[in-house]
Amino acid sequence: MDNAAIEEMFEGLGPVSIRRMFGGKGIYHQGLIIALDLRDEILLKADETSAPAFRAAGAVQWSYDGKKGKPVLMPYWSIPNAALDDPDELRDWVRMAFEAALRVNRDT
């Protein structure tokens, strides 16, 4: 996804910065990573508080195969399908990702 499209997707939250990483892009708001762009899919940050809402909305958690072939779950989730067609709903999920980043940063 090009940077202009990413910025438009996150405009309901405010300005974002985009940095290349892991063969994809990290998306930051106020210095905190809130999302990834991997293989042209945006994945939003979640934590223990917000992950159940992502799961209930049908989102999929990002994982990769670890050294022993077991999946390693990462704290990033796909955007629920309903939010892709509704800017107001998308804004709510993006804000939830930022709130998760705030909580994670506060707890470290």
Side-chain angles (χ1 to χ4, degrees), residues 9-10 16 18 29 39 54 61 79-80 85 90 96 104:
M9 181 178 271
F10 286 84
V16 295
I18 302 162
H29 179 65
R39 297 175 294 280
F54 279 89
Q61 187 173 10
I79 296 173
D85 297 325
L90 178 59
M96 194 180 306
V104 169

Side-chain angles (χ1 to χ4, degrees), residues 27 32 38 42:
I27 302 164
L32 300 174
L38 293 175
I42 300 295

